[in-house]
Amino acid sequence: MKKSFGFAKTAALMGIIILAAKLMGLVRDIMVAGAFGTTTVAVAYETASRLPVTIFDFVLGGVVTSAFIPVYNSIAVKEGKDKASAFAQSYTNLILLLTGIIAVLGVIFAPALVSFIAPDLAADAAELSVRLTRIMFPMVIFVGLAFTFVGFLQSEGEYNIPAVISLVSNLIMVGWLAVSGRWIDDPLTAVTGLSLAMLIGWAAQAAVQIPAVRKRGFRFRPTAPVLTPDTKRAAKNALPILAATWTTPVCTLINTRLASGIDGAISMLGYANRLYIIIVGLFSFVATNLLFPYFARADAAGNTGEKDRMTRTSVKVLTFIIAPISVGVAVLAEPFVSLIYENGAFDAADTLWTANALRFYAVGMVFTAVSEVLTKAFFAAEKTKYPMLAAVVSMTFNIVVVILIGGWLHIGGIALISGLAAAVNMLVNLIFAYRTGMISRSLPDVLDIVKTIVSAAVMGVTVGFVYPLTSALPMIVGFALSVLTGVIVYALCVTVLRSEEMCGILKKLKHR
């Protein structure tokens, strides 16, 4: 009971910190939308800011933490802390070497990269995007270092410092936007400064973790050997892990290429996608990052029963939370986007198109969250080929659909492909999870998830009926009433259907 309470307390605190970081990220996006709208400057910035992260995801991506945590925890359990610390030092040097090479190549080949990711950009947007890309690309070094520290701290049981790093970088960017909005009239100067702020923000994400990693015994040794038996072991898992994390960057790349020929579409998809990530990330980040080291230690100790229980529970709880949010976002996408973004250079037409993208992105929310849990469970067991195969299938699906109908897609269709690819990824991961015995088959679990989906659907129909009735009220009042109605209807449905998660909530409330 004490252990469960500690776990829940850690998860709650992580959730609060991540919520603050996500809200600050939302403030950043609101300020970017207000300053640049969907203009050429906004499109150039969106393209340039995606490039370093997308390339990093392709070349290293989830490997940094996902290859580190299982090996580190296995060494710590079986050989002791000193050996694990030596591995961490060598691994850090390896990541710095690789990211340094990526950064140099990214700066040199920025024009070719911009041309590839957004081939139909207008000449002035492409030129500005190249310039901004060269400013931001060195951030991949800090990305690699920051996520190495995240893996180390989470393995040592420290979750709050890794959770706060996004808040730090978002604060830096918001600070610049506040200053530039007040004192700088030239949008080119403002967006150049914003790109520098993004670079500094990522450097701060690494720097803010240094006191915590030093406190837990990590010492940076530039002379630590890069290639050791343990780093080779991590590298052996790296390629399948990398391929398993390619679904998101591949979808991003395809979306950007398709959208580059539609006026303003790259920035509209970017605004919608970040709202989507804020919602999914808040819950899936807490679950997967908190559980991953537990999964790794359970596998190292041979405690498969506990891992099975935690995996199944995580899937059910995430579905219970995210399914109604997904439906609500799809139904109320237009007022949601309007209330958040419609200001300054972001007008009503931008709201309509961005809301359409968000509506279709919402299709993938539950699938993405469940896939994250299953993927981390596979990574913890070092069974990396299964999520890799799931990613290959989903990427193939994405590419085939684009080849067949890509020419007819507009903003909503582009977003929908990402959601469907997430569904394919989850389905294949789930099949492998059952076939390998990673999670046990449980009819009550399936029925509980069905209850959640039915309740979310009833809620969606109700909200879709209620919101138009509030048209005479101010938008924010109508939106709030619709959300409140949705919460009440969903709570009633899961209570009537006796969802296990709702029964647990009611039992705790009654106990209190």
Side-chain angles (χ1 to χ4, degrees):
M1 177 66 73
K2 188 175 181 180
K3 181 179 178 182
S4 298
F5 176 75
F7 191 88
K9 185 178 179 181
T10 302
L13 187 54
M14 274 184 72
I16 292 170
I17 295 171
I18 293 169
L19 178 60
K22 297 294 184 185
L23 290 175
M24 188 56 61
L26 183 59
V27 170
R28 175 203 65 205
D29 292 340
I30 291 169
M31 295 176 77
V32 170
F36 307 120
T38 59
T39 61
T40 295
V41 171
V43 171
Y45 171 74
E46 185 66 34
T47 304
S49 61
R50 284 186 188 186
L51 259 172
V53 176
T54 302
I55 297 299
F56 177 83
D57 286 344
F58 269 114
V59 180
L60 285 176
V63 168
V64 178
T65 52
S66 298
F68 176 89
I69 288 177
V71 176
Y72 181 89
N73 281 275
S74 176
I75 296 170
V77 169
K78 297 175 182 177
E79 301 179 58
K81 181 69 181 292
D82 290 341
K83 287 280 289 182
S85 181
F87 162 70
Q89 292 163 0
S90 295
Y91 190 86
T92 302
N93 287 350
L94 176 61
I95 295 301
L96 286 174
L97 174 64
L98 293 174
T99 53
I101 293 170
I102 295 169
V104 171
L105 293 176
V107 170
I108 294 171
F109 295 106
L113 290 171
V114 169
S115 177
F116 178 74
I117 195 172
D120 298 322
L121 277 186
D124 54 345
E127 182 181 352
L128 178 58
S129 184
V130 169
R131 194 172 83 191
L132 299 181
T133 295
R134 284 179 165 150
I135 292 172
M136 287 187 275
F137 223 101
M139 80 182 194
V140 298
I141 298 171
F142 303 116
V143 174
L145 189 59
F147 282 114
T148 302
F149 289 162
V150 166
F152 174 79
L153 289 174
Q154 289 180 347
S155 296
E156 289 294 314
E158 172 56 66
Y159 296 93
N160 296 328
I161 297 298
V164 83
I165 62 175
S166 293
L167 180 60
V168 172
S169 59
N170 285 332
L171 281 170
I172 290 170
M173 295 181 71
V174 166
W176 168 257
L177 286 163
V179 169
S180 64
R182 189 178 181 90
W183 303 105
I184 299 175
D185 294 327
D186 179 24
L188 293 179
T189 303
V191 80
T192 301
L194 181 60
S195 300
L196 284 168
M198 187 173 185
L199 176 63
I200 294 168
W202 271 103
Q205 287 203 16
V208 76
Q209 297 181 85
I210 291 175
V213 298
R214 286 184 61 82
K215 181 180 178 181
R216 283 157 183 79
F218 179 87
R219 297 293 182 270
F220 175 60
R221 287 178 49 223
T223 57
V226 170
L227 293 179
T228 67
D230 293 322
T231 57
K232 289 178 182 178
R233 175 183 168 189
K236 183 180 177 182
N237 293 328
L239 185 58
I241 288 176
L242 188 58
T245 61
W246 275 350
T247 302
T248 297
V250 164
C251 289
T252 299
L253 177 60
I254 292 172
N255 288 354
T256 305
R257 284 180 64 87
L258 285 174
S260 64
I262 305 172
D263 187 33
I266 288 179
S267 53
M268 293 172 191
L269 284 168
Y271 294 135
N273 185 251
R274 280 190 289 275
L275 283 178
Y276 162 80
I277 289 172
I278 286 171
I279 296 166
V280 176
L282 175 62
F283 301 105
S284 64
F285 183 91
V286 171
T288 58
N289 285 273
L290 183 59
L291 289 169
F292 192 14
Y294 282 90
F295 285 164
R297 286 193 286 272
D299 276 300
N303 192 351
T304 56
E306 176 66 7
K307 182 181 175 183
D308 169 56
R309 184 190 66 79
M310 293 179 75
T311 305
R312 289 187 293 106
T313 301
S314 300
V315 168
K316 288 197 302 176
V317 170
L318 281 174
T319 303
F320 179 79
I321 294 171
I322 295 178
I325 295 175
S326 171
V327 173
V329 167
V331 174
L332 298 174
E334 189 175 328
F336 187 39
V337 171
S338 178
L339 290 168
I340 291 173
Y341 286 136
E342 195 171 317
N343 179 49
F346 195 97
D347 59 24
D350 296 331
T351 290
L352 289 174
W353 290 115
T354 303
N356 198 35
L358 179 61
R359 186 173 290 113
F360 287 105
Y361 272 133
V363 171
M365 284 184 179
V366 172
F367 307 130
T368 298
V370 173
S371 281
E372 278 289 305
V373 173
L374 297 175
T375 297
K376 287 297 194 296
F378 278 123
F379 287 169
E382 298 187 53
K383 296 179 179 179
T384 54
K385 68 178 182 180
Y386 298 112
M388 178 191 73
L389 292 172
V392 169
V393 172
S394 64
M395 286 185 291
T396 302
F397 167 84
N398 197 316
I399 292 168
V400 169
V401 172
V402 167
I403 290 172
L404 292 176
I405 62 171
W408 292 278
L409 293 175
H410 209 275
I411 293 174
I414 293 171
L416 179 60
I417 291 178
S418 295
L420 296 178
V424 172
N425 195 3
M426 184 208 72
L427 182 61
V428 178
N429 266 318
L430 198 58
I431 291 170
F432 283 138
Y434 283 130
R435 291 190 64 180
T436 59
M438 192 184 74
I439 58 175
S440 57
R441 292 175 174 83
S442 171
L443 183 59
D445 286 350
V446 174
L447 292 176
D448 213 47
I449 290 172
V450 170
K451 292 175 185 178
T452 293
I453 293 170
V454 169
S455 299
V458 172
M459 181 211 75
V461 171
T462 306
V463 171
F465 175 76
V466 168
Y467 181 69
L469 299 179
T470 67
S471 57
L473 300 173
M475 182 182 291
I476 191 169
V477 176
F479 180 80
L481 287 174
S482 300
V483 170
L484 179 60
T485 301
V487 171
I488 293 171
V489 170
Y490 181 70
L492 287 173
C493 285
V494 291
T495 301
V496 170
L497 294 175
R498 299 192 59 80
S499 161
E500 182 181 339
E501 286 70 35
M502 193 62 190
C503 288
I505 292 170
L506 293 174
K507 187 181 292 185
K508 288 181 180 178
L509 290 173
K510 184 178 180 180
H511 177 71
R512 286 182 181 278

